[in-house]
Each structure stands twice: as C-alpha cells, then as structure tokens.
Amino acid sequence: MIKINENFLRLKDNYLFSNINQRVNQYLKQNPLADIIRLGIGDVTRPIPKAITSAIKKAAEELEDKETFKGYGPEQGYDFLKEKIIKNEYRGLNIKSDEVFISDGAKCDTGNIIEIFDKDIKVGITDPVYPVYLDSNIMCGRKDTDIIYINATEKNDFTPIPEELEEVPDLIYICSPNNPTGVAMKKEILEKWVKFAREQGSIILFDDAYEAFIEEEDIPHSIYEIEGAKEVAIEFKSYSKTAGFTGLRCAYTIVPKELVVKRQIQEITDSFSNNLGNNSISINKLWNRRSTTKFNGVSYVIQRAAEAVYTEEGKKGINENIKYYKENTKIILEGLKKAGITCYGGINSPYIWMKIPKGISSWEYFDILLKQYNIVGTPGVGFGTNGEGYFRLTAFGDRDKTKEAMERISKG
Ligand code: PLP
C-alpha cells in the first residue's frame, strides 16, 4: 500500500500566509467594497529598475540567435554573476567562485540545506522566526525533541545569545536582520555565536535576506565579517527584497571550503574529503553534490538580470526602492508611536514588530485590524509561540496606502 510521508501531518495548520489570504478572501466575499490595505505579506511592490529589465530583454534576445543561444547552464550558476557577487558583496572577504551557489531562492536553500545533515541532530531555531526553518525540519522528519527553541523576546531585546541556551544545537539558524522582529544582530553578538559554534562544533545557517536594509554601523552585512566564521557558517542571500526579485527568483548561498565536519564512517567515497585529509568531509562538496543532482540552475536570463543589479544604473534603481521602503518604515514607526503602540525593529529592516494590547491573541488582533480598519498584517504567533502578543507590519506597501493605514490606526 502506498504511504505518505507522515511528517507532513505533524505540520501545524496551513502555511501562515495561505491562512491569512483565506481569511482576507472570506472577508472580501462578504464585504466586496472594503478598501483593504495590505501590510502583511513581505512581498515587494516597487517596479524593477529599467537597467534590470533591459538586461532581461537583451538576454532573451540572445536566446533567439543560434550563436548566443543557451541551454542548461552550470548548476551552481554562471561565472559572470558569481564574479559580480564576490566583487560587490564580499569585497575583502576572500570568497571564492566555487563557494558561491546561485539558486532560485533563499526559501528553497534554507529549507533544502538540511538534507545534507543527519536526521539525528539537534537544531536551534529562534522563536519567533521565519516559519520555513521549522516546517522544513519537520517535513524531513526532525523530532520535536530535537528542535531547540531559542527565545527572542523583549527580555533579551529580541537578540538571543549563546549563554542563554540550555542545550547545544548542532545546527543554528540565525536570521539577521530578523523576520519577523525586524531586529538585527550587532557584531559583538554575532561574534559570540561564531565563537560558540567553533567551540561546540556547531554550524550556523545565517539567513541574510534583508541585508540591504542595514543602516547602523555595528551590524555586519555578512557573517564572514566575523573572524573564523568561514569554518562554521553558511550564508544565504537573496535578490528578492534587495532588488525586487520576488517574482523573478534569484538568490545565492555561500558555502565556504573551510567548513568541514568529521567523517562519521570510513567506507564512503573520498570525493567529499576536500583534500583535507581522510577524516574531514567538506560541506561545500556535499552541497555541490546535492545541487548538481537536484537542481539545474537559475535561468540564464534571470542571472543576467541579477548581474545588472551591480551596474551603476541598477544600483541607483534598487537604492531608490530601498529608500522608498525605508521611508514607509519611518511612517509606520511614527504612526504607531503616535497611537501609543510599542514597537520594535524597522531600523535595519522593513519589518515592524508591534506589541498588541494585553488580553487578546494575535489572530484576534488580526481580525480587529481587518474588520475595523481594513488593514491586513501578520499575527505574531504565526512565527512561533513567542510571537503571541505581537503583530508584524511591513514597509513594502504603497506610500499613500501606508500613510492611510497609519491614519486609520491613529484615529482609533
Ligand atoms: N529568508 C527570509 C528570512 C525571508 O523572510 C524570506 C522571504 O520572505 C526568504 C528567506 C525568502 O527569500 P526568497 O524570495 O529568496 O526565497
């Protein structure tokens, strides 16, 4: 008899955003004229800069010509894009081309990376956090007892430190700037995590999808700014929020060659040892093996689009968009302050983490915002137990709508 992967049945309810959409659609069915303002899902709304769309058109035209046609590309990505990434994002950090893996999203990579690790390891996941980490661990059969929740609460300024851990995780997800709290990790805290990982033999999965929003000086733009991080960290970056690629799909993951783990069994092929002696297995080689087996690369056209992000015009365009969202963040922060609502984040991030009135749940608050103000946000509990009592608003919306949302809230 055919059997399903029962781990899927252990997943909670629907995926958070489908659940939100369902509620909004149901409300719209009953109130078709409602003027809904969406400050919920973290999707961008600004159009893609012309330098990038021109690169897409040019690359598409190349495909019309027999001489410039492209079929399958390298699974790990074209060198032209990797070179630009190294030069622009990792200047002075000595990242090599074969440590860069171009992919179609940080969501897929942060979810898929766990395939290369054993099932029986402990995984540290901050609470609250981007739900994909937990759900993908459950899907792959991680037991509840093997998930270590790392509290990120008001008590620790939403910035956990390793000293607070009661158990040592083998894998540690760190998302900074954080989704959903909008709080970014200062260099000195990230140094603690790197030191901890080095001492304990853990690996950090560093999700840097919101790096472009960092504005304070003591926040690292890459975990590899921390000495010794290459031996313990994998970094995920994405063009989605940086350059408006949520629909185009392009991201990259850095897996340094220095990142090795001890060989558990002798009778395996030497192809994963990375010439570091028989006792070491290269995580870079494992990820490469996984990628070349299950992925056929991002399309040539989209990689040319990502390359155009680094042209003068491309940079100018994406910086304008980031500035636009940052202005929205200020409007939200000021609006909520005016309404007497405590909130966090929003400085190095497009997310604002607002505290909701005591005595109501975050889903109840969702319904209040939807029905009374016609505003859609994201209930904090959707990001973890510690998210209860909070609500996430995003700065990715339209300027006028964002202003109007704040007016509606401040009028009460
Ligand atoms: N990582 C975090 C923390 C996110 O919030 C998101 C999207 O919301 C992603 C990754 C997904 O990025 P991508 O669009 O590259 O898959």
Side-chain angles (χ1 to χ4, degrees):
M1 189 181 85
I2 183 86
K3 281 183 165 182
I4 51 119
N5 175 353
E6 287 196 359
N7 295 312
F8 278 68
L9 306 182
R10 293 169 50 224
L11 294 167
K12 271 203 202 118
D13 209 345
N14 271 341
Y15 183 63
L16 176 63
F17 296 109
S18 340
N19 202 340
I20 290 174
N21 282 339
Q22 263 175 20
R23 287 189 187 220
V24 175
N25 289 340
Q26 204 172 355
Y27 179 76
L28 276 173
K29 241 190 220 165
Q30 290 153 357
N31 305 275
L33 298 178
D35 178 17
I36 301 278
I37 301 180
R38 290 173 195 268
L39 301 180
I41 193 161
D43 199 357
V44 292
T45 53
R46 302 293 301 154
I48 289 165
K50 221 167 174 175
I52 296 170
T53 53
S54 300
I56 292 176
K57 286 177 200 159
K58 183 167 170 280
E61 277 165 16
E62 283 178 46
L63 303 182
E64 292 172 356
D65 190 328
K66 189 167 163 280
E67 300 303 317
T68 47
F69 168 77
K70 300 275 185 305
Y72 288 128
E75 292 96 336
Q76 306 88 340
Y78 283 100
D79 282 340
F80 64 76
L81 178 56
K82 292 179 173 202
E83 280 161 20
K84 297 287 184 329
I85 290 170
I86 291 169
K87 196 168 151 218
N88 289 276
E89 312 277 354
Y90 293 101
R91 189 182 290 272
L93 295 179
N94 196 21
I95 297 291
K96 292 162 216 83
S97 182
D98 53 1
E99 296 174 318
V100 182
F101 294 83
I102 312 291
S103 78
D104 58 355
K107 185 185 207 175
C108 323
D109 282 0
T110 52
N112 290 332
I113 196 84
I114 48 179
E115 274 185 35
I116 63 171
F117 299 101
D118 192 80
K119 244 199 225 136
D120 295 322
I121 58 167
K122 302 267 181 193
V123 177
I125 299 180
T126 53
D127 176 7
V129 86
Y130 183 50
V132 170
Y133 312 153
L134 177 63
D135 284 358
S136 39
N137 271 279
I138 292 174
M139 283 176 185
C140 88
R142 189 93 54 227
K143 295 195 268 335
D144 291 334
T145 48
D146 289 333
I147 309 261
I148 300 169
Y149 292 96
I150 306 172
N151 293 325
T153 61
E154 233 175 344
K155 249 193 198 158
N156 58 13
D157 296 327
F158 302 98
T159 309
I161 51 170
E163 288 90 323
E164 292 162 359
L165 290 174
E166 285 171 13
E167 233 182 314
V168 175
D170 299 299
L171 269 186
I172 308 166
Y173 284 90
I174 297 180
C175 176
S176 172
N178 188 269
N179 177 11
T181 66
V183 174
M185 224 173 238
K186 288 193 166 62
K187 190 167 186 202
E188 67 196 58
I189 306 285
L190 204 48
E191 278 169 349
K192 283 184 186 228
W193 281 105
V194 168
K195 184 168 177 274
F196 174 83
R198 290 174 65 87
E199 286 168 0
Q200 301 294 336
S202 311
I203 290 179
I204 297 172
L205 302 176
F206 189 70
D207 189 340
D208 208 9
Y210 297 96
E211 176 267 328
F213 291 83
I214 294 174
E215 60 180 61
E216 290 181 325
E217 271 195 6
D218 53 353
I219 312 291
H221 286 254
S222 161
I223 195 166
Y224 304 121
E225 289 174 33
I226 313 289
E227 214 185 315
K230 277 195 199 149
E231 285 155 38
V232 292
I234 296 173
E235 179 162 285
F236 305 90
K237 277 196 174 175
S238 169
Y239 295 100
S240 283
K241 309 298 161 76
T242 310
F245 274 51
T246 53
L248 292 179
R249 310 304 305 144
C250 196
Y252 52 94
T253 292
I254 309 293
V255 190
K257 291 214 197 119
E258 288 93 329
L259 188 53
V260 292
V261 296
K262 266 211 192 102
R263 176 189 284 261
Q264 298 133 280
I265 43 172
Q266 286 307 321
E267 53 294 349
I268 51 171
T269 154
D270 268 344
S271 62
F272 298 119
S273 72
N274 201 22
N275 306 326
L276 287 162
N278 233 3
N279 257 340
S280 299
I281 302 291
S282 160
I283 296 295
N284 175 288
K285 289 206 167 181
L286 289 182
W287 184 242
N288 188 55
R289 185 69 168 86
R290 193 265 171 210
S291 302
T292 50
T293 303
K294 293 200 177 180
F295 187 54
N296 252 333
V298 176
S299 80
Y300 172 72
V301 173
I302 295 305
Q303 290 191 64
R304 282 291 183 201
E307 183 192 29
V309 165
Y310 300 111
T311 59
E312 277 311 305
E313 278 301 297
K315 282 182 193 169
K316 197 168 152 246
I318 64 166
N319 285 341
E320 275 166 18
N321 283 351
I322 300 272
K323 222 168 120 192
Y324 181 97
Y325 297 133
K326 281 194 159 288
E327 189 57 35
N328 282 355
T329 320
K330 272 196 202 136
I331 291 166
I332 298 174
L333 284 174
E334 278 163 22
L336 295 180
K337 218 171 161 190
K338 233 168 133 187
I341 297 169
T342 305
C343 43
Y344 300 92
I347 295 169
N348 300 296
S349 153
Y351 296 125
I352 292 101
W353 193 232
M354 59 187 279
K355 208 170 169 178
I356 61 177
K358 277 211 167 76
I360 49 174
S361 76
S362 56
W363 274 113
E364 281 166 346
Y365 191 72
F366 174 90
D367 287 333
I368 294 172
L369 267 198
L370 176 64
K371 291 171 189 168
Q372 274 185 24
Y373 303 99
N374 287 177
I375 295 171
V376 178
T378 313
V381 73
F383 299 97
T385 318
N386 286 334
E388 189 51 279
Y390 293 88
F391 205 73
R392 192 195 74 175
L393 294 184
T394 86
F396 287 123
D398 171 79
R399 171 70 44 77
D400 291 337
K401 295 260 181 209
T402 303
K403 278 186 184 163
E404 195 186 324
M406 288 307 110
E407 274 162 28
R408 287 184 196 174
I409 288 181
S410 58
K411 274 186 199 145

